[in-house]
Amino acid sequence: MKDLCEKVLQYRHSCKQFDENNKIPKENLDFILDAGRRSASSFGMEPWKFLVVQDQNLKQKIRPFCWDQPQITTCSDLVIILAKIEELKPKGDYVKKMFSRRPISQERIDAYIELYGNHLKDTMSSDENIYCWSARQCYIALSNMMNAAAAVGVDSCAIEGFEKENVEKVLKLDTSKYQLAVMLPLGYRVKEQPTQVRRDFDDVVEFI
Ligand SMILES: Cc1cc2nc3c(=O)[nH]c(=O)nc-3n(C[C@H](O)[C@H](O)[C@H](O)COP(=O)(O)O)c2cc1C
């Protein structure tokens, strides 16, 4: 397990250009998306949706609003991670449904819903704040998908360099329901992987 993790950490890098003729087999693509689906999230809300753009014309339309980055159109599959908004509000059916999946008493489910509402009171006070919280969870799914991709020899590059509102318009999103959190183009590298540049362990970690 540790060896596999080490290999994944070494293999993953931000791929800047993909091989346009090399498509990810469905089995591996599904594996990567499923790693996102199974991610941890605060209160277990799973506040995400993954749009998988496979249509080349749509990728072309999105690219200008992503700093014209070549990853958008050269990738095999462009995963767009959306952050849930409206349904996360405490009084709604979705929140109830998410808590009710657990094998616990109705009393405890009600207590969880109350805790959720109280703890996230400020967070739920505006769609903008909900987006910030929801998108944070989406980044956990992003990370899991990047690592799952590396485990099956698929390259990726997290993309935050985009014009949010313009991409949302291209995708015709109802932004009261979902907003764009982050993107993940997936495919196969055409260039050698660069040497990883990182701060030192002791600079990053402090034992107290
Ligand atoms: C949330 C996030 C957003 C990023 N957005 C972009 C991006 O828009 N374009 C890009 O080329 N790289 C992007 N990156 C890649 C980072 O620049 C990269 O992870 C960092 O420089 C470390 O390099 P490595 O991933 O190859 O190890 C992003 C990374 C993360 C985690």
Side-chain angles (χ1 to χ4, degrees), residues 171-191:
L171 296 171
K172 299 189 176 78
L173 288 184
D174 175 351
T175 52
S176 69
K177 293 197 170 102
Y178 283 102
Q179 293 185 21
L180 171 57
V182 64
M183 297 186 195
L184 185 67
L186 297 165
Y188 297 96
R189 65 189 74 178
V190 285
K191 291 189 186 140

Side-chain angles (χ1 to χ4, degrees), residues 98-141:
M98 290 297 111
F99 282 124
S100 303
R101 297 178 298 175
R102 297 165 192 225
I104 52 174
S105 67
Q106 188 58 46
E107 205 173 54
R108 281 192 67 202
I109 291 169
D110 292 344
Y112 266 123
I113 295 172
E114 200 182 330
L115 177 67
Y116 176 84
N118 288 339
H119 180 69
L120 296 172
K121 203 164 177 243
D122 293 340
T123 300
M124 296 297 159
S125 63
S126 70
D127 281 8
E128 205 179 341
N129 287 347
I130 295 176
Y131 169 75
C132 290
W133 182 77
S134 188
R136 282 210 296 275
Q137 320 307 317
C138 290
Y139 278 68
I140 298 170

Side-chain angles (χ1 to χ4, degrees), residues 10-206:
Q10 275 179 22
Y11 193 84
R12 193 214 59 79
H13 72 292
S14 295
C15 181
K16 305 289 175 176
Q17 195 180 351
F18 299 95
D19 178 353
E20 292 178 62
N21 300 313
N22 206 350
K23 297 290 169 206
I24 303 169
K26 179 157 172 47
E27 192 191 338
N28 284 349
L29 180 61
D30 287 353
F31 173 76
I32 296 163
L33 294 165
D34 207 46
R37 182 186 70 86
R38 291 157 69 184
S39 298
S41 59
S42 183
F43 285 100
M45 278 301 125
E46 304 171 46
W48 43 60
K49 178 172 176 171
F50 311 139
L51 285 180
V52 185
V53 183
Q54 298 184 311
D55 179 76
Q56 203 57 26
N57 287 332
L58 186 53
K59 289 184 204 163
Q60 295 283 2
K61 282 186 193 153
I62 293 169
R63 178 169 163 172
F65 301 118
C66 298
W67 305 351
D68 199 32
Q69 298 186 73
Q71 297 96 315
I72 304 298
T73 47
T74 59
C75 69
S76 163
D77 299 271
L78 175 63
V79 182
I80 299 194
I81 306 181
L82 302 179
K84 203 182 256 301
I85 307 291
E86 179 64 29
E87 285 186 315
L88 295 177
K89 293 179 182 167
K91 301 239 177 309
D93 287 346
Y94 178 82
V95 170
K96 221 175 269 167
K97 195 172 107 190
M98 290 297 111
F99 282 124
S100 303
R101 297 178 298 175
R102 297 165 192 225
I104 52 174
S105 67
Q106 188 58 46
E107 205 173 54
R108 281 192 67 202
I109 291 169
D110 292 344
Y112 266 123
I113 295 172
E114 200 182 330
L115 177 67
Y116 176 84
N118 288 339
H119 180 69
L120 296 172
K121 203 164 177 243
D122 293 340
T123 300
M124 296 297 159
S125 63
S126 70
D127 281 8
E128 205 179 341
N129 287 347
I130 295 176
Y131 169 75
C132 290
W133 182 77
S134 188
R136 282 210 296 275
Q137 320 307 317
C138 290
Y139 278 68
I140 298 170
L142 166 80
S143 179
N144 276 346
M145 285 196 263
M146 291 197 289
N147 288 325
V152 290
V154 169
D155 290 301
S156 65
C157 182
I159 297 280
E160 214 175 37
F162 52 72
E163 297 168 27
K164 180 173 173 287
E165 283 177 21
N166 281 327
V167 177
E168 287 171 346
K169 271 188 201 140
V170 173
L171 296 171
K172 299 189 176 78
L173 288 184
D174 175 351
T175 52
S176 69
K177 293 197 170 102
Y178 283 102
Q179 293 185 21
L180 171 57
V182 64
M183 297 186 195
L184 185 67
L186 297 165
Y188 297 96
R189 65 189 74 178
V190 285
K191 291 189 186 140
E192 281 283 294
Q193 177 173 359
T195 310
Q196 197 176 66
V197 183
R198 286 296 186 272
R199 287 162 61 197
D200 291 338
F201 187 91
D202 290 341
D203 192 25
V204 174
V205 182
E206 181 182 354

